[in-house]
Amino acid sequence: GGKDAISTTIINFNNEKMQITWATRELFQNENVSFFYTFGEGKHKVWKPCTTYLLDQDYNSGCLFKTEGPTLAFSIRNSNGSEELFSKILKVDFYIKPSPPENVTFFWEEDTVTVSCNKPERNAWCLRLELQHKSKFDKEWQNRTAKCCSIREQGFDPRKCYSFRVRLRRLVPYCNVVNYSSDWEAETFWMNGTLLDSCDDDVTPQSETIIVLSCSLAVLLMVLILLILLCKWIQMSVLPAIPDPKYPFADLFNDHNGNLQEWLDKNDHVVLQTKLEYEEPESITEAESQQEDGKNSDKSGPLEKIFTFPGAAENNDSKAAEIACLIPASNTMASFAGFHILMNDDMYVML
């Protein structure tokens, strides 16, 4: 193509340095071109060769040099500079990329924040201050732009942590032909007017507090359960269980309202019958054995009895009388503590 078809990128860094780049591999394949520039005007221009080249795979792809005037003319030539491949003249002020804002301050007043920065010395009216902020709950940045060099924004939640960043932007098309903005100033983190190292600072202490409280509650709960189990164990192993008399003697409390004498009078025969029914098997067995022995004795010979001899009365009157009192009469009914016992001559009563 012709000389005007070559695409270049022109940046004037805050009116201090110029950077001009071109697409080397697309425009000048297998050829290393040279770059010349001048800030002079008129027919007697003094061309300066580029001293600082930008490289792309060892090929010259741009030049970086100092801004020395309002009008720039540059020429891209072949490797030895004998043939011009592209040239252009431009006003450098229309390609300015501003520097990041300096001395950025944040002033908090309840839910409102005012962000300010130093005002540039030249063409401050061409600049706009751009503010972006977001909380940890926001997916995208919230954007706000105002005249250089102060922005007032409200509606911030004091319970949230916010990230802030600011930059300067040149007006198009009044001041620039290209929409250039400065790099973002270093990101800062704020919560309710307090500067933080990061928004993680407002999460970590709460998380640690929750973890500590949860562990403490779990330990206390375990100790409480162990104490309850220990008390139960002591109660079961050391202290005997006290039976509730309400269940074995339900009729005493339900029918007689706890009147023991009335209950005894009414249930005297029942107690006797229960006592006889639940007599120990050994006693019953022993009694049956004694009865069998008695029957066998009757068959074998006369029953041995204790008699009082007339000749022994002189020396053992009292003893014989005692023995005689202990021998009950045959088929005698004896009463003791409300119980009626049928006694025969094979039974002995020990007093």
Side-chain angles (χ1 to χ4, degrees):
K3 295 181 179 181
D4 294 338
I6 296 177
S7 176
T8 58
T9 301
I10 304 167
I11 302 176
N12 180 7
F13 290 101
N14 202 36
N15 219 17
E16 296 175 357
K17 286 186 177 183
M18 297 291 301
Q19 175 181 291
I20 300 177
T21 58
W22 55 88
T24 300
R25 290 180 292 175
E26 289 79 2
L27 300 176
F28 313 109
Q29 296 180 0
N30 301 323
E31 184 177 1
N32 208 1
V33 297
S34 58
F35 183 85
F36 294 87
Y37 68 94
T38 181
F39 286 93
E41 296 183 6
K43 296 182 179 180
H44 304 285
K45 297 179 181 179
V46 180
W47 294 94
K48 297 181 180 180
C50 179
T51 57
T52 305
Y53 278 103
L54 304 176
L55 302 179
D56 182 9
Q57 296 183 356
D58 296 330
Y59 287 95
N60 296 336
S61 61
C63 183
L64 185 64
F65 52 95
K66 185 179 180 180
T67 303
E68 298 176 353
T71 304
L72 171 67
F74 65 88
S75 173
I76 298 177
R77 306 176 183 180
N78 58 5
S79 59
N80 58 18
S82 60
E83 180 184 357
E84 186 177 83
L85 304 176
F86 176 75
S87 64
K88 189 174 184 177
I89 299 175
L90 53 90
K91 293 291 184 179
V92 296
D93 286 347
F94 288 100
Y95 297 87
I96 292 178
K97 180 179 180 177
S99 297
E102 299 179 352
N103 193 23
V104 179
T105 59
F106 292 80
F107 176 74
W108 288 80
E109 185 178 3
E110 296 181 354
D111 67 337
T112 304
V113 60
T114 302
V115 183
S116 304
C117 66
N118 288 348
K119 190 174 183 179
E121 296 179 358
R122 296 180 61 230
N123 299 327
W125 66 274
C126 286
L127 297 173
R128 292 293 181 268
L129 182 62
E130 184 177 1
L131 171 68
Q132 287 188 344
H133 63 84
K134 68 176 182 178
S135 70
K136 61 182 180 181
F137 304 102
D138 298 325
K139 296 182 179 180
E140 298 180 354
W141 290 95
Q142 308 297 318
N143 196 75
R144 174 74 185 277
T145 304
K147 292 183 179 180
C148 185
C149 292
S150 179
I151 295 179
R152 182 181 174 86
E153 183 77 352
Q154 61 183 6
F156 293 99
D157 190 341
R159 298 169 297 179
K160 296 181 180 179
C161 178
Y162 293 90
S163 303
F164 289 90
R165 62 181 185 180
V166 294
R167 68 179 178 181
L168 292 174
R169 186 164 54 114
R170 289 275 291 189
L171 289 177
V172 177
Y174 306 103
C175 300
N176 262 32
V177 294
V178 183
N179 188 12
Y180 282 148
S181 299
S182 71
D183 295 333
W184 290 103
E185 180 65 14
E187 189 174 348
T188 56
F189 308 92
W190 295 82
M191 181 177 179
N192 196 22
T194 302
L195 180 63
L196 304 175
D197 293 334
S198 69
C199 278
D200 294 335
D201 295 345
D202 74 318
V203 177
T204 303
Q206 295 181 5
S207 301
E208 292 179 353
T209 303
I210 293 173
I211 292 173
V212 171
L213 290 177
S214 300
C215 293
S216 301
L217 290 176
V219 171
L220 290 176
L221 182 60
M222 292 181 65
V223 171
L224 181 60
I225 293 174
L226 290 176
L227 288 176
I228 293 174
L229 294 176
L230 180 61
C231 293
K232 289 289 185 181
W233 178 80
I234 293 176
Q235 182 179 5
M236 294 177 61
S237 60
V238 178
L239 300 177
I242 301 175
D244 192 347
K246 181 172 64 176
Y247 300 102
F249 305 98
D251 54 344
L252 171 63
F253 295 94
N254 296 334
D255 300 337
H256 303 282
N257 296 324
N259 191 329
L260 181 60
Q261 187 61 44
E262 180 181 341
W263 179 76
L264 289 175
D265 294 340
K266 186 175 181 179
N267 295 277
D268 187 21
H269 64 285
V270 178
V271 173
L272 175 59
Q273 182 179 356
T274 304
K275 184 176 183 65
L276 294 176
E277 288 178 354
Y278 288 91
E279 187 177 1
E280 294 185 0
E282 294 182 358
S283 301
I284 297 174
T285 304
E286 183 178 357
E288 292 177 354
S289 177
Q290 290 178 0
Q291 291 179 2
E292 291 178 358
D293 293 342
K295 291 179 181 180
N296 294 333
S297 299
D298 292 338
K299 293 179 181 180
S300 60
L303 179 64
E304 182 181 353
K305 297 184 179 180
I306 301 176
F307 297 97
T308 304
F309 296 95
E314 298 176 359
N315 298 324
N316 300 315
D317 292 339
S318 59
K319 185 175 182 180
E322 181 179 355
I323 294 175
C325 293
L326 294 178
I327 300 175
S330 180
N331 298 327
T332 302
M333 183 68 68
S335 298
F336 179 75
F339 296 96
H340 303 283
I341 303 173
L342 181 62
M343 303 178 64
N344 54 31
D345 50 6
D346 292 331
M347 301 180 62
Y348 294 87
V349 177
M350 300 298 295
L351 299 178

